[in-house]
Amino acid sequence: MTGRRIVSIWLPRFPMARWERAQATRPAPAPAPWDEVAVADGPDPAAPLVLGHDGTHGPVIHAANAAAHAAGAIRGARVVDARALCPDLQVIGADLAGDAEALRRLMLWSRRWCPWSAGDGADGLVLDTTGSDHLWGGEAAMLADMEARLADLGQPARIAVAPTHGAAWALARYGDPREICGDRALKVRLAMLPAAALRLDEATLLVLRRLGLKRIGDLMAIPRAMLERRFGRDGRALMTPLRRLDQMLGDLPEPIVSPAPARRFRIVRRLVEPVMDPQPLLTEPLRMLCDELAEAGQGLRGLRLELYRTDGVATRVEMGCAQANRDPAHLTRLMARHFENLDAGFGFDTLSLEALRPEGLSTAQVRLDGGIDSDLAVATLIDRLSARLGPDAVQVPDPRESHLPERAEGWKPALQGGRADRLAPAGLGGGGMIGPSRERPVRLLRNPERIEVLYAVPEGPPVRFSWRRKPYLIRRHQGPERIAPEWWRARPGTRLRDYYKVEVDEGARYWLYREGIVGDGRGGEPGWFLHGMFA
């Protein structure tokens, strides 16, 4: 008898549910200008769709929606194999780092039920609720509350509680919904579960199936000496059936390592009497907050100011920084505009300052001429503009890995930028996997526009073209530069592109491409498009 109560939470659709929730809350795209084609709203969530990431032999499936599962797409399979079963399969790049960070935050959020929690793989959580269930009306009510709260977050969950981590893990995935297992019934209940509930690798499970050991009860009936001879008893091996069985039954300890939450940098000041203008009183708390950050070698990416009035009304103000910062003077300037329309009521008696999203920030050497680095100057400018115009008004290019020019670069708010050297890009053209050495137009159309082209030979360069009802005569050209479709992302029948840089008789330069070639078997006559303009 262990006396412990361990809860295992399995989130079978965690990556896909997170992506679907982000799509549902994504704002509608802004209407396109009159001279550009409207952008599609994005992939159809009802169609077969998978999230993929790079694998050893090409992209592999990380998660799939219900339609893709019905079509035969499974996690870990190659995207090309899934496309052979479902040609209309849509593939979106998986955000592995984002999923890991979201699961970490969910792990900390789950400590509302108990003090100890930890991640359990890429799609699960484990909680030590020993002595905590009575606060929620018993284990049944606690599990129901967990399931309901996770459902509110858009995450369907399977939950179980048992005396050991291994038993709770097995029951959450192979047992009944919200199953509660006690010490006395532990061995009998686990004997009915399949051998896959032992958390073994695929090679070991294959050996067990070949030996006819399909359930955990079959392993319990075999003498331990035989299992030790067949699978070994090396204490350093974590995936042996005997070791996993001992952990599941509580004969071998399996402690839960609960990571400590990140340090919270927060300064609270309770005033002797209410004040109508708290701005002069923020200088000292802000300096103390920056000193704490400097002592820890950290800088903040966001700052939250909370002001509490005497009547109980709270005012919260948040601001962001393009890069980690702990300069009190700069942060004071960012907060100044928020006091213009502040409703003080009968006065404020409590204020607090908290550093959001702290990052490592080492001490920098001041230049000999007394100036500041260009990266810091750009970040300071972005902070001031974002504070005055709004966090979404100032944006920077966001390079992405894609061969297609229209996919190789997007835009994102500057306050979401990463490293400071990416805040001041050298140019707006190109990016992604195209490479900086290739010249790209200064202006790239959001969507290529169809043009009418006259050329001397079917596969040769163009001679003249008509765009927006105006004819152009080509004097010089350079190309072609062939860009093949991204086979791991493109739909079947997508055609390759041959790009030409052309100069017309008026001196202007354009970027044209021919979509497809004659006889490629992917459509009719090739089409011509204008994709960008050079200076």
Side-chain angles (χ1 to χ4, degrees):
M1 301 295 180
T2 63
R4 300 173 63 200
R5 303 302 291 169
I6 307 299
V7 172
S8 178
I9 302 176
W10 179 37
L11 307 170
R13 300 189 67 252
F14 180 72
M16 182 57 66
R18 177 174 171 266
W19 180 86
E20 292 173 348
R21 184 178 178 88
Q23 290 296 112
T25 57
R26 184 171 62 99
W34 65 272
D35 60 335
E36 295 184 0
V37 182
V39 180
D41 292 340
D44 183 9
L49 184 142
V50 299
L51 303 179
H53 63 92
D54 294 334
T56 306
H57 303 288
V60 297
I61 297 176
H62 180 61
N65 63 0
H69 272 299
I74 59 175
R75 182 173 183 175
R78 296 194 303 169
V79 172
V80 292
D81 297 335
R83 274 226 168 95
L85 299 174
C86 180
D88 296 331
L89 185 68
Q90 303 180 57
V91 182
I92 305 295
D95 184 12
L96 301 182
D99 290 341
E101 176 61 21
L103 188 65
R104 187 193 69 84
R105 294 197 303 266
L106 195 63
M107 179 265 298
L108 297 176
W109 171 84
S110 66
R111 294 183 182 177
R112 63 182 61 231
W113 293 293
C114 66
W116 301 280
S117 64
D120 195 5
D123 56 0
L125 302 172
V126 57
L127 290 72
D128 189 344
T129 60
T130 306
S132 301
D133 58 284
H134 70 281
L135 302 174
W136 306 93
E139 289 183 336
M142 181 180 64
L143 297 186
D145 183 67
M146 291 178 180
E147 188 177 57
R149 289 181 180 271
L150 289 170
D152 292 340
L153 297 178
Q155 291 290 347
R158 289 181 57 88
I159 309 175
V161 58
T164 64
H165 178 194
W169 188 96
L171 293 174
R173 289 155 178 80
Y174 299 95
D176 299 329
R178 298 201 302 269
E179 184 164 354
I180 300 175
C181 182
D183 289 315
R184 296 183 178 180
L186 178 62
K187 191 171 184 179
V188 176
R189 182 66 183 93
L190 296 178
M192 298 182 290
L193 299 181
L198 286 170
R199 297 177 293 168
L200 300 172
D201 54 20
E202 289 297 330
T204 306
L205 290 175
L206 179 60
V207 174
L208 293 178
R209 286 195 296 268
R210 290 176 176 175
L211 295 176
L213 304 176
K214 300 180 180 180
R215 297 190 176 275
I216 296 179
D218 300 335
L219 283 171
M220 294 179 180
I222 297 179
R224 294 177 61 88
M226 297 181 61
L227 290 176
E228 291 175 357
R229 287 196 301 269
R230 179 62 183 83
F231 296 99
R233 56 175 302 177
D234 187 358
R236 293 171 297 178
L238 301 179
M239 303 293 286
T240 61
L242 192 58
R243 183 183 182 89
R244 287 302 196 189
L245 185 61
D246 289 343
Q247 290 176 341
M248 181 179 287
L249 296 176
D251 298 331
L252 191 65
E254 187 178 6
I256 297 176
V257 181
S258 181
R263 180 180 174 182
R264 188 179 184 185
F265 297 92
R266 188 168 185 257
I267 301 295
V268 179
R269 281 291 177 267
R270 293 174 175 84
L271 308 180
V272 178
E273 56 184 31
V275 296
M276 303 301 292
D277 183 14
Q279 189 172 3
L281 303 178
L282 293 176
T283 304
E284 183 63 19
L286 187 58
R287 184 191 62 78
M288 296 176 61
L289 180 64
C290 293
D291 289 343
E292 287 190 9
L293 290 169
E295 184 180 354
Q298 300 284 310
L300 57 85
R301 289 292 302 276
L303 180 64
R304 176 187 295 157
L305 169 64
E306 293 178 337
L307 301 171
Y308 299 91
R309 297 190 333 198
T310 55
D311 56 0
V313 178
T315 301
R316 174 179 294 182
V317 175
E318 291 187 7
M319 61 213 72
C321 298
Q323 67 179 16
N325 195 297
R326 57 170 181 255
D327 181 12
H330 176 62
L331 298 176
T332 300
R333 286 191 294 267
L334 295 182
M335 288 191 298
R337 63 175 297 272
H338 296 283
F339 295 95
E340 297 174 358
N341 301 320
L342 188 63
D343 183 10
F346 293 101
F348 300 100
D349 58 1
T350 304
L351 58 88
S352 71
L353 288 169
E354 182 177 1
L356 306 178
R357 303 183 300 279
E359 295 181 359
L361 179 62
S362 58
T363 303
Q365 177 68 40
V366 180
R367 287 171 41 178
L368 295 178
D369 58 0
I372 59 176
D373 294 334
S374 59
D375 292 341
L376 181 59
V378 172
T380 302
L381 175 63
I382 290 175
D383 294 346
R384 294 183 179 179
L385 292 176
S386 299
R388 180 174 296 275
L389 304 177
D392 296 331
V394 183
Q395 298 192 349
V396 294
D398 180 25
R400 300 169 184 173
E401 292 188 355
S402 178
H403 294 281
L404 300 182
E406 65 269 22
R407 293 180 180 173
E409 190 173 77
W411 293 88
K412 66 178 179 180
L415 296 184
Q416 297 180 6
R419 296 168 48 192
D421 55 4
R422 297 184 60 181
L423 298 178
L428 300 180
M433 298 180 64
I434 295 178
S437 61
R438 298 184 182 274
E439 184 181 358
R440 288 293 180 256
V442 175
R443 181 188 178 192
L444 195 67
L445 297 182
R446 184 183 303 175
N447 291 109
E449 297 187 10
R450 185 176 292 274
I451 59 176
E452 299 294 333
V453 170
L454 174 66
Y455 44 88
V457 294
E459 302 300 330
V463 176
R464 64 173 66 242
F465 68 94
S466 176
W467 177 47
R468 295 179 181 175
R469 301 181 181 181
K470 181 179 179 180
Y472 296 89
L473 178 63
I474 297 176
R475 295 299 186 185
R476 294 187 297 176
H477 75 274
Q478 180 181 353
E481 174 192 346
R482 177 161 294 182
I483 298 181
E486 298 173 337
W487 55 267
W488 62 92
R489 180 183 298 170
R491 294 178 178 272
T494 304
R495 312 180 81 173
L496 56 81
R497 300 177 180 180
D498 285 334
Y499 278 87
Y500 290 88
K501 303 174 185 176
V502 301
E503 180 179 325
V504 299
D505 53 355
E506 299 176 354
R509 295 181 179 181
Y510 299 95
W511 204 32
L512 315 180
Y513 75 84
R514 180 181 61 239
E515 187 177 49
I517 57 178
V518 177
D520 58 3
R522 297 192 174 189
E525 291 294 325
W528 282 87
F529 297 85
L530 188 145
H531 204 166
M533 288 78 73
F534 293 90

